[in-house]
Amino acid sequence: EAAVTQSPRNKVTVTGGNVTLSCRQTNSHNYMYWYRQDTGHGLRLIHYSYGAGNLQIGDVPDGYKATRTTQEDFFLLLELASPSQTSLYFCASKGLGVSYEQYFGPGTRLTVL
Amino acid sequence: GDQVEQSPSALSLHEGTGSALRCNFTTTMRAVQWFRKNSRGSLINLFYLASGTKENGRLKSAFDSKERYSTLHIRDAQLEDSGTYFCAAEDYNQGKLIFGQGTKLSIKP
């Protein structure tokens, strides 16, 4: 089964702070995704990538940047964090091809005070 | 409106009983995934279906792309089945997952 890890697992920052969330997958998957999940809602797609150096805008991208430095690593950047970005963030990966399941990391809980 | 409507939003079952969750889609989807979010917040993959049905232990899922729905059946519910269940439909355009709002399942002794 695909292995997706995230760090940190928990993060507290203040409004205006700079935060980087990290995701690594070790299964040579081409696709990687960043989602946020809020209570009472399903996951919503922030950014995704087809491969190293590639970045695609998701459905809720405002306030977020992302960078895919290698096949394995995908980062989510909050340069001016706001309380509305307090959420549970999930990273996922998917293999080459269009119809394959996504595998999710354990999540990062971010609190912006 | 939402492309994926999941119901019910909450469900309470006694141990040993069963029920079904359902997701309706406003458009034709390529595939569906079902997840369970456990007490630690991790998303556990339950099923991936591009068509038909799959069964795994006490869980069974079906996906009908033409009729635009998917179901997840739970039988003989156990306490460890508690959690929030999500369906997510894969769109044809870019293969993105569109999530339902989740069903909070509580299993009582």
Side-chain angles (χ1 to χ4, degrees):
Chain A
E1 186 165 314
V4 183
T5 57
Q6 293 182 234
S7 63
R9 295 295 311 277
N10 289 280
K11 176 73 176 179
V12 179
T13 190
V14 295
T15 299
N18 192 323
V19 176
T20 298
L21 307 184
S22 302
C23 177
R24 166 165 281 209
Q25 54 91 10
T26 58
N27 290 276
S28 301
H29 283 172
N30 285 60
Y31 296 84
M32 294 186 75
Y33 304 83
W34 276 108
Y35 296 87
R36 61 177 289 172
Q37 198 258 318
D38 302 294
T39 303
H41 296 275
L43 281 70
R44 292 180 291 172
L45 183 63
I46 303 170
H47 290 299
Y48 62 108
S49 168
Y50 295 148
N54 176 267
L55 182 65
Q56 303 294 318
I57 296 172
D59 300 321
V60 289
D62 292 347
Y64 302 96
K65 292 184 179 179
T67 180
R68 179 88 176 270
T69 54
T70 65
Q71 179 85 338
E72 295 78 19
D73 299 300
F74 195 29
F75 300 93
L76 186 67
L77 298 86
L78 292 74
E79 294 181 332
L80 287 171
S82 71
S84 64
Q85 294 176 306
T86 293
S87 188
L88 180 59
Y89 291 86
F90 286 100
C91 175
S93 73
K94 185 177 81 168
L96 185 63
V98 183
S99 295
Y100 291 105
E101 63 187 291
Q102 290 189 23
Y103 293 91
F104 283 76
T108 294
R109 185 164 295 281
L110 175 67
T111 302
V112 183
L113 301 175
Chain B
D2 291 341
Q3 291 182 270
V4 179
E5 290 288 340
Q6 185 173 345
S7 61
S9 58
L11 179 63
S12 181
L13 296 176
H14 286 286
E15 271 188 298
T17 64
S19 189
L21 313 181
R22 184 178 177 103
C23 283
N24 293 322
F25 315 123
T26 57
T27 187
T28 305
M29 299 292 184
R30 182 195 304 271
V32 69
Q33 276 190 255
W34 283 92
F35 302 89
R36 180 174 64 88
K37 187 179 174 186
N38 65 16
S39 58
R40 292 184 298 169
S42 296
L43 281 175
I44 311 298
N45 286 32
L46 299 176
F47 294 103
Y48 175 88
L49 298 96
S51 64
T53 62
K54 285 187 179 179
E55 191 166 358
N56 184 1
R58 296 176 290 100
L59 299 178
K60 182 177 180 179
S61 183
F63 172 54
D64 190 325
S65 179
K66 183 180 178 182
E67 298 299 322
R68 303 181 183 178
Y69 77 90
S70 178
T71 57
L72 178 68
H73 292 258
I74 301 173
R75 62 175 176 83
D76 188 25
Q78 303 297 306
L79 294 175
E80 60 264 28
D81 294 331
S82 294
T84 301
Y85 289 74
F86 291 100
C87 70
E90 183 181 338
D91 75 1
Y92 271 99
N93 186 23
Q94 293 170 313
K96 296 192 298 183
L97 283 183
I98 304 164
F99 279 77
Q101 298 85 348
T103 297
K104 186 172 184 178
L105 177 63
S106 301
I107 309 300
K108 299 181 178 180

